[in-house]
Amino acid sequence: MADLAHSYGLDMTVHHHPLGFSYGDDVTGPMPEIRQLDHIRASLRDPHCEGPQEVYAIAMDVARMQDREELKKRMLLFGVVTYAAGRLGKEPVRSQGHVHRISQHSGWSPPELYEIWQGKAIIYMQEYVEDDPGRCFAVIAGPGEKVLVPPGWGHATISADPDVPLTFGAWCDREYGFEYDAVRAHKGLAWYPLLQGNNIIWQHNPRYIPGRLQAVTPRQYTEFSITSAPVYQQFIEDPARFQFISRPDKHPELWQNFHP
């Protein structure tokens, strides 16, 4: 991926063969975790499907050296993820689906703000991970677009183009944790994305109460003062801007009747 430092405020490179990342001299980040196909089979529509063995690489807590103390103070963390191209049987390459564990310092299940860097994404989200999933949305996003997942919602990130690897960054709570049990108990989220040619269609998961899936495009989250600039650059310019990620409890009214 060319010129990430200019585009995203971070001097780093994304690799696809093998999956992973390398960092510039002023950027620090961990060795990526590689999610193997066998790791995510329990959340797939067809657990026995074929697909790339290395499904995606994830690196949490990537930052410029000079930002690390500020991020720790604000309990914020920036993660980067890249997916393999291809498909998982009849499904697109995607994450498992989870809800965020309640953070001890806020008492809330934290939100997450995505920014798509490469490829075409669908951020699928549902209000609950119980038998009644509540409102369900598929937010279709391309490079430079942002998608905000509100506190407590189940969600998964889907690569909508099997020919182009999906890469994205995301602001998270520093105490992030993924809860999979409720999703796995339902054999996935309430809607399965399926590939028909190179297009995504949706199949309802019968383990949930039937409902409606709304497909939408990203909006401007003006109530959170998010701009069209790259999200890491926005942090550099105003470190307080993403405090709502780690402290969603400070403005609970902003999350009432939230619409992606």
Side-chain angles (χ1 to χ4, degrees):
M1 187 181 303
D3 203 10
L4 273 180
H6 173 74
S7 299
Y8 301 108
L10 285 167
D11 181 10
M12 58 176 291
T13 303
V14 179
H15 305 285
H16 292 120
H17 303 288
L19 293 178
F21 313 96
S22 56
Y23 309 112
D25 291 339
D26 70 334
V27 173
T28 177
M31 289 289 291
E33 297 178 33
I34 307 298
R35 294 287 192 270
Q36 304 282 344
L37 178 56
D38 286 345
H39 296 163
I40 70 169
R41 289 188 184 277
S43 296
L44 298 176
R45 175 177 172 271
D46 177 7
H48 307 291
C49 71
E50 295 185 358
Q53 289 306 303
E54 293 191 348
V55 181
Y56 57 96
I58 179 170
M60 301 298 279
D61 204 8
V62 177
R64 299 189 314 166
M65 297 284 193
Q66 60 263 50
D67 298 330
R68 289 194 60 79
E69 289 307 311
E70 189 72 25
L71 289 167
K72 289 178 182 178
K73 181 178 77 174
R74 297 186 177 278
M75 294 301 289
L76 287 170
L77 176 148
F78 194 71
V80 293
V81 182
T82 192
Y83 285 12
R87 56 189 73 209
L88 303 174
K90 294 182 179 180
E91 292 185 81
V93 175
R94 63 175 179 86
S95 63
Q96 301 175 67
H98 60 261
V99 65
H100 292 157
R101 185 178 305 136
I102 291 174
S103 175
Q104 291 187 354
H105 70 90
S106 73
W108 282 49
S109 168
E112 186 170 8
L113 178 65
Y114 292 84
E115 179 176 67
I116 307 310
W117 289 358
Q118 179 189 36
K120 181 180 179 183
I122 298 176
I123 311 299
Y124 169 82
M125 61 185 85
Q126 62 188 52
E127 204 167 0
Y128 310 110
V129 289
E130 301 159 3
D131 291 349
D132 183 352
R135 293 179 294 154
C136 301
F137 294 93
V139 187
I140 304 160
E145 293 184 309
K146 290 97 173 148
V147 180
L148 180 59
V149 176
W153 286 46
H155 55 285
T157 310
I158 298 155
S159 178
D161 184 344
D163 297 328
V164 180
L166 174 65
T167 305
F168 58 91
W171 280 115
C172 312
D173 187 296
R174 182 160 285 276
E175 285 186 354
Y176 79 94
F178 302 146
E179 296 282 3
Y180 296 108
D181 290 351
V183 175
R184 288 174 177 169
H186 288 85
K187 307 296 184 185
L189 291 162
W191 291 88
Y192 293 118
L194 301 177
L195 280 164
Q196 191 172 73
N198 277 10
N199 298 314
I200 299 288
I201 61 172
W202 297 90
Q203 182 180 76
H204 181 255
N205 180 346
R207 297 167 188 87
Y208 291 88
I209 293 171
R212 176 179 171 226
L213 175 62
Q214 300 179 62
V216 299
T217 54
R219 67 174 177 88
Q220 298 293 319
Y221 301 102
T222 53
E223 71 270 37
F224 295 98
S225 301
I226 300 171
T227 72
S228 60
V231 292
Y232 199 94
Q233 188 64 42
Q234 290 185 56
F235 170 81
I236 293 172
E237 295 168 357
D238 179 9
R241 179 166 296 173
F242 298 111
Q243 202 67 62
F244 70 90
I245 295 290
S246 57
R247 293 305 304 266
D249 55 309
K250 291 293 187 180
H251 297 284
E253 71 281 358
L254 294 177
W255 304 110
Q256 293 178 2
N257 301 315
F258 179 88
H259 192 291

